Amino acid sequence: MSEADILTPQTIVPFLADIFERRGAEEYLGENVTIAEHMLQGAYLAEQRGEDEQIIVAALLHDIGHFTSELGTFEMNDEIDRLHEDAGAEILERFFPPLITDCVRQHVAAKRYLCSVDPMYFGRLSQASVKSLELQGGPMERDEATEFAKNPNLDAIVKVRHLDDEGKIVGFKPPGFDHYAPMVQRAVDSHCSTEAA
Ligand SMILES: [Fe+2]
C-alpha cells in the first residue's frame, strides 16, 4: 500500500505541502522554473485576477501528478507519455470537488483542444509544451474537439490551461504553498462534507 492510499481529508493538504517543499524544486520540463514555482505562479496569477478559489486551487495542483505518477517525471527526451494528468486527478478526486479534479485531468487535453480551435495558441506554447504535445497525441481532430467542447467545465478547464501556459516566468518568486494551504483545505472540506452528508 502506498502513502497515497492511506490519505485522509486531514492528511491530504500536508501531503501536498510536503511535495511542494521537498520535491517541488525539481526542474520543470527543461525550463528555468521548477515545477513548484510553475504551479505557484499559475495560482498567483489566478488569485491576482480575482478568480474563484476552485480555479486557484486547480492551477496550484494541476501538475501534482508529475510527482505521484508511477511512471516518473517528464524528461525532454521522453518517448512515452507519462500521463501526469491522470495520476494527479487520481490522487485528488477523493478529496476535491469534481471541477478541480476535472481541470487537472483535462489540462493536457485542453492544450490539444486549443491547438485545434485557436490558430494563435500553438505559437504561444513553450518549447517543452510543444515537445510534450507530440507525445500526447498532437492537436485534436475537429470531431474530438467538438466532443471536448461539450464538457460542462470547459470554461474552467481552458482558464486553468492558460494559467498553466503563463506560469513559466523566469525569476518570479510567487507566494509559497503555505499561502494557499487554508484555501486548499477549504476545498477539501467542502467536498468531503458534501460526500459525508
Ligand atoms: Fe503545468
Side-chain angles (χ1 to χ4, degrees):
M1 186 178 282
S2 73
E3 190 183 0
D5 292 328
I6 53 171
L7 288 170
T8 70
Q10 287 73 42
T11 60
I12 179 70
V13 180
F15 171 82
L16 296 168
D18 191 53
I19 289 178
F20 274 78
E21 279 153 26
R22 281 192 310 118
R23 302 188 54 208
E26 291 173 19
E27 284 289 302
Y28 174 70
L29 309 182
E31 299 186 41
N32 290 324
V33 288
T34 67
I35 299 181
E37 283 170 353
H38 164 61
M39 294 195 286
L40 289 164
Q41 286 183 5
Y44 183 74
L45 293 171
E47 191 179 22
Q48 291 298 299
R49 292 170 192 169
E51 297 291 357
D52 288 352
E53 289 197 357
Q54 294 205 36
I55 297 291
I56 299 170
V57 172
L60 179 71
L61 301 178
H62 78 274
D63 268 345
I64 205 76
H66 279 302
F67 299 109
T68 59
S69 171
E70 289 172 5
L71 301 174
T73 309
F74 176 87
E75 291 176 21
M76 279 300 271
N77 59 359
D78 274 356
E79 291 183 2
I80 54 145
D81 182 5
R82 298 173 194 252
L83 301 174
H84 73 283
E85 66 277 27
D86 290 337
E90 273 164 37
I91 287 281
L92 301 179
E93 66 188 352
R94 278 185 287 151
F95 303 108
F96 288 88
L99 179 75
I100 292 176
T101 307
D102 214 19
C103 287
V104 173
R105 193 186 303 279
Q106 302 298 344
H107 80 272
V108 170
K111 175 171 67 171
R112 299 183 54 237
Y113 168 74
L114 288 170
C115 282
S116 171
V117 300
D118 177 355
M120 304 298 290
Y121 178 76
F122 179 82
R124 297 198 296 266
L125 288 177
S126 69
Q127 203 185 346
S129 244
V130 170
K131 158 72 183 165
S132 58
L133 177 67
E134 281 171 38
L135 300 178
Q136 291 156 346
M140 286 182 177
E141 298 293 337
R142 183 186 298 230
D143 288 354
E144 194 181 3
T146 304
E147 216 32 56
F148 187 78
K150 292 178 186 167
N151 188 317
N153 298 327
L154 182 71
D155 288 351
I157 290 167
V158 166
K159 209 173 256 185
V160 170
R161 178 68 227 179
H162 286 307
L163 291 162
D164 180 358
D165 295 321
E166 290 176 73
K168 301 177 178 181
I169 307 163
V170 177
F172 169 51
K173 299 271 181 232
F177 185 87
D178 285 356
H179 175 73
Y180 298 100
M183 188 187 291
V184 178
Q185 188 66 58
R186 274 197 293 281
V188 171
D189 292 346
S190 72
H191 181 61
C192 294
S193 64
T194 314
E195 291 247 297

